[in-house]
Amino acid sequence: MKRFFRVVLLFLAWAALSTVLCSSSQADTETLNALLERAGKRLELFWEEFAAVACTESISQTKFASGQKILSQKRETYDYLIVLQLEGDDLAVEESRLLKGKLEKKSRQPLLVTNGFSTLLLILHPLFQSSYEFTRLPDEGIKTGRLLRIGFQPIAGKRSPSVIQAGGKDYPIPWQGSAWIDSQSGMVVRIQTELSQPIEDLGLKILRSEVNYAMIRFQSVSDTCWLPQTALVEAE
């Protein structure tokens, strides 16, 4: 019987930051290389700020059988922090979660471990851009400006910013997808990913995700920052 997992993660930032993302002038026409360089610089600032924020993470998981029949559901809330370690060309991300409240007995068995989805924009980080082939896609207009859109495909043999850990082994995830970049800030507003090919050793046929980022304003200070707001993950 097939098993489908759907996970929704909500990130609510509440702690103040020490730096601000600077706005850059809007450019209606940009070369792909210039856009990638601009996004990469913004992501370097993003990591400095994301690591300085304490969040509340709300997770809702639903497990489906064939025909979309719901087998089980689970909701949890966590205090969430992220730690980024950068040494030369090696970059490691660790996520810390502290459960808020008590875990129900019927929910002790996790449905799906969801580490790493808030960090999918590492695909556009300067350390990982060489692992992908990028293309410009039709841009999209929005009320406050314009979203610049790019597509990406993995290059065989190159490292991935994401892995699945199973049976003591790491399985790099071959992500492909699209990213929408804010024309004013250069930050990624939305990123959609899916497997470029199934991971046969794990029986993983489908793994899709969509992560949305938003500019968050803090009450205690005047600073604003781009932070992950929601993530939708589906697996078969």
Side-chain angles (χ1 to χ4, degrees):
M1 180 181 295
K2 293 182 179 179
R3 291 292 186 268
F4 300 87
F5 298 89
R6 181 169 296 152
V7 184
V8 178
L9 301 89
L10 304 177
F11 300 87
L12 304 175
W14 58 266
L17 303 182
S18 59
T19 55
V20 184
L21 289 178
C22 299
S23 296
S24 58
S25 60
Q26 180 175 352
D28 292 332
T29 303
E30 288 189 84
T31 65
L32 179 60
N33 289 338
L35 181 57
L36 290 172
E37 181 180 1
R38 187 171 161 196
K41 290 180 179 179
R42 291 300 177 210
L43 289 183
E44 290 177 330
L45 289 176
F46 166 83
W47 285 112
E48 294 178 6
E49 298 195 338
F50 193 15
V53 175
C55 305
T56 297
E57 181 187 48
S58 300
I59 301 179
S60 174
Q61 302 191 55
T62 304
K63 186 175 182 178
F64 297 90
S66 299
Q68 297 296 296
K69 178 183 177 181
I70 295 177
L71 296 178
S72 60
Q73 290 180 303
K74 176 181 175 182
R75 289 179 174 85
E76 295 174 333
T77 302
Y78 296 88
D79 289 328
Y80 176 93
L81 290 171
I82 194 165
V83 178
L84 178 71
Q85 296 179 340
L86 180 61
E87 295 182 3
D89 291 337
D90 292 329
L91 187 152
V93 177
E94 294 185 10
E95 293 175 287
S96 173
R97 289 183 172 92
L98 180 62
L99 180 67
K100 300 179 69 173
K102 295 182 179 180
L103 185 64
E104 298 180 5
K105 291 183 179 180
K106 63 181 180 180
S107 300
R108 290 189 182 277
Q109 183 65 33
L111 299 181
L112 182 67
V113 177
T114 56
N115 290 348
F117 287 98
S118 65
T119 67
L120 276 175
L121 41 65
L122 277 174
I123 290 170
L124 295 170
H125 192 280
L127 291 178
F128 290 98
Q129 286 187 11
S130 61
S131 296
Y132 295 89
E133 293 182 356
F134 295 94
T135 56
R136 277 299 304 271
L137 300 175
D139 299 330
E140 295 185 2
I142 55 176
K143 292 182 180 179
T144 57
R146 190 172 184 83
L147 292 181
L148 310 178
R149 187 179 172 210
I150 63 174
F152 50 87
Q153 291 279 345
I155 298 176
K158 296 288 187 175
R159 62 177 178 171
S160 170
S162 305
V163 298
I164 294 177
Q165 295 180 330
K169 295 179 61 177
D170 289 342
Y171 297 85
I173 303 177
W175 290 125
Q176 65 179 9
S178 303
W180 288 257
I181 300 173
D182 182 86
S183 59
Q184 294 182 343
S185 68
M187 262 305 298
V188 177
V189 175
R190 180 165 83 247
I191 185 167
Q192 291 180 338
T193 62
E194 62 180 0
L195 295 178
S196 63
Q197 60 187 34
I199 303 180
E200 299 292 350
D201 290 351
L202 299 177
L204 185 61
K205 297 180 179 180
I206 296 173
L207 182 61
R208 300 190 189 100
S209 67
E210 177 177 326
V211 184
N212 290 276
Y213 299 81
M215 183 174 287
I216 305 298
R217 185 175 297 277
F218 299 92
Q219 295 181 355
S220 58
V221 293
S222 59
D223 294 353
T224 58
C225 180
W226 286 98
L227 293 173
Q229 193 171 47
T230 62
L232 176 64
V233 182
E234 297 187 58
E236 178 183 336

